[in-house]
Amino acid sequence: MTYFSRLSARVAEVGSLCVGIDPHPGVLDAWAVGQDLAGVEKVALGTVDALADKVAAFKPQSAFFEQWGSGGIAVLEKCVNAARQAGALVILDVKRGDIGSTMDAYARAYLGDGPMGVDAITLSPYLGFDALRPALDLAEANGRGVYVLARTSNPEGADIQLGHTASGSGVAQSLVDQAARRNQLSGDNAVGLVIGGTHASLGVDLSGFQACVLVPGIGAQGGTMAGVETLFAGTAALILPSVSREILYAGSSAVSLREAVDKVLWARTIHRPSR
């Protein structure tokens, strides 16, 4: 199965919420665990254990694990394996983007069958969309997915993303269009987009895009589920809202985490499960 078909099936089963796993200091405090690797592991594995049956995907932020060195990477591997064994998809937020053999190595690290292989990763296209080709090729070959940063949730991104390319088209729109063309050629819809949920308007035309849009920025960054409803109204793409701190700050209790997810889900109607 392709990544998009697996994701669509998962969304039909449990709804489209994606929960970010970002074990930063504030979350560790909320869980009453140490500011150490053991605390990071409790947050990561505890979140998966509590929520794997309620969410479409988990989105671990690699940086919060990488900062602990090899031990942190080992915990990230445990988190990825636990999520996948529980039936949830894993989108690793790594924002990789490079050229040639380096991009190929990144692709093999995360989109291959190695210990860090996941369902999908985030990619930065600002060395050029075509520079991502090794990752796009491997994702399609292995039934994995990628999410290309197009209109990010942070306000600083607008300086570049709403600028114009050398040909005169909008930068973000150019990325949307190139992703759509790639999906049309492959038929796999493996190339998704990252478009933040913090904007008053999209700033891009998604009418020709029918794959998945990952929507971060909900909760701590100011985006709301109601805003996502409005922002993507009429869009044919599969919308995957991502919430992290708003849920993780509920603490280590599985009951509290599940109640936090329910609170988020009842604030929206997009892809709400029928049961």
Side-chain angles (χ1 to χ4, degrees), residues 3-4 7 16-20 56-61 89-95 120-123 145-153 191-199 202 206 209 211-218 228 231-232 235 237-244:
Y3 167 71
F4 186 75
L7 178 61
S16 66
L17 188 67
C18 173
V19 169
F58 291 106
K59 183 173 69 67
Q61 169 48 257
L89 276 67
V90 178
I91 302 167
L92 188 58
D93 196 354
V94 289
K95 298 182 176 70
I121 60 173
T122 55
L123 293 176
V146 302
Y147 289 91
V148 177
L149 306 181
R151 182 99 199 277
T152 55
S153 56
V191 185
L193 299 169
V194 176
I195 298 179
T198 54
H199 308 297
L202 285 175
L206 292 178
F209 188 79
C212 182
V213 178
L214 179 65
V215 185
I218 299 164
V228 171
L231 200 58
F232 293 93
T235 302
L238 191 161
I239 306 303
L240 195 67
S242 180
V243 183
S244 175

Side-chain angles (χ1 to χ4, degrees), residues 145-222:
V146 302
Y147 289 91
V148 177
L149 306 181
R151 182 99 199 277
T152 55
S153 56
N154 61 307
E156 302 90 343
D159 289 343
I160 293 174
Q161 295 157 12
L162 296 185
H164 291 81
T165 68
S167 64
S169 62
V171 171
Q173 187 64 53
S174 174
L175 295 169
V176 171
D177 294 343
Q178 289 180 85
R181 284 196 294 271
R182 177 77 187 208
N183 288 332
Q184 288 165 0
L185 287 172
S186 70
D188 288 348
N189 281 340
V191 185
L193 299 169
V194 176
I195 298 179
T198 54
H199 308 297
S201 62
L202 285 175
V204 292
D205 178 7
L206 292 178
S207 60
F209 188 79
Q210 298 186 359
C212 182
V213 178
L214 179 65
V215 185
I218 299 164
Q221 287 183 269

Side-chain angles (χ1 to χ4, degrees), residues 7-273:
L7 178 61
S8 298
R10 180 72 179 174
V11 166
E13 179 183 1
V14 301
S16 66
L17 188 67
C18 173
V19 169
I21 301 180
D22 302 354
H24 63 77
V27 171
L28 297 177
D29 284 344
W31 282 56
V33 296
Q35 297 284 334
D36 52 24
L37 187 55
V40 170
E41 182 168 353
K42 287 180 181 177
V43 169
L45 298 185
T47 301
V48 170
D49 186 57
L51 302 179
D53 64 328
K54 291 180 72 70
V55 303
F58 291 106
K59 183 173 69 67
Q61 169 48 257
S62 184
F64 290 111
F65 299 88
E66 292 174 23
Q67 65 180 338
W68 297 99
S70 59
I73 298 302
V75 170
L76 179 57
E77 287 185 21
K78 289 182 182 179
C79 176
V80 168
N81 289 333
R84 298 191 72 179
Q85 288 175 11
L89 276 67
V90 178
I91 302 167
L92 188 58
D93 196 354
V94 289
K95 298 182 176 70
R96 299 298 192 245
D98 216 307
I99 60 172
S101 59
T102 307
M103 188 69 253
D104 182 64
Y106 280 138
R108 285 185 282 109
Y110 302 116
L111 300 171
D113 294 323
M116 286 302 299
V118 292
D119 294 287
I121 60 173
T122 55
L123 293 176
S124 175
Y126 292 100
L127 289 177
F129 187 88
D130 285 343
L132 302 177
R133 188 171 298 171
L136 308 186
D137 289 344
L138 194 59
E140 292 165 357
N142 288 352
R144 311 293 175 86
V146 302
Y147 289 91
V148 177
L149 306 181
R151 182 99 199 277
T152 55
S153 56
N154 61 307
E156 302 90 343
D159 289 343
I160 293 174
Q161 295 157 12
L162 296 185
H164 291 81
T165 68
S167 64
S169 62
V171 171
Q173 187 64 53
S174 174
L175 295 169
V176 171
D177 294 343
Q178 289 180 85
R181 284 196 294 271
R182 177 77 187 208
N183 288 332
Q184 288 165 0
L185 287 172
S186 70
D188 288 348
N189 281 340
V191 185
L193 299 169
V194 176
I195 298 179
T198 54
H199 308 297
S201 62
L202 285 175
V204 292
D205 178 7
L206 292 178
S207 60
F209 188 79
Q210 298 186 359
C212 182
V213 178
L214 179 65
V215 185
I218 299 164
Q221 287 183 269
T224 65
M225 301 304 285
V228 171
E229 295 278 3
T230 301
L231 200 58
F232 293 93
T235 302
L238 191 161
I239 306 303
L240 195 67
S242 180
V243 183
S244 175
R245 281 172 280 180
E246 186 172 346
I247 289 171
L248 298 185
Y249 274 131
S252 60
S253 163
V255 172
S256 296
L257 290 169
R258 293 174 72 85
E259 287 177 348
V261 167
D262 288 338
K263 182 178 178 181
V264 168
L265 290 175
W266 281 108
R268 63 190 295 272
T269 59
I270 296 177
H271 296 305
R272 180 181 293 165

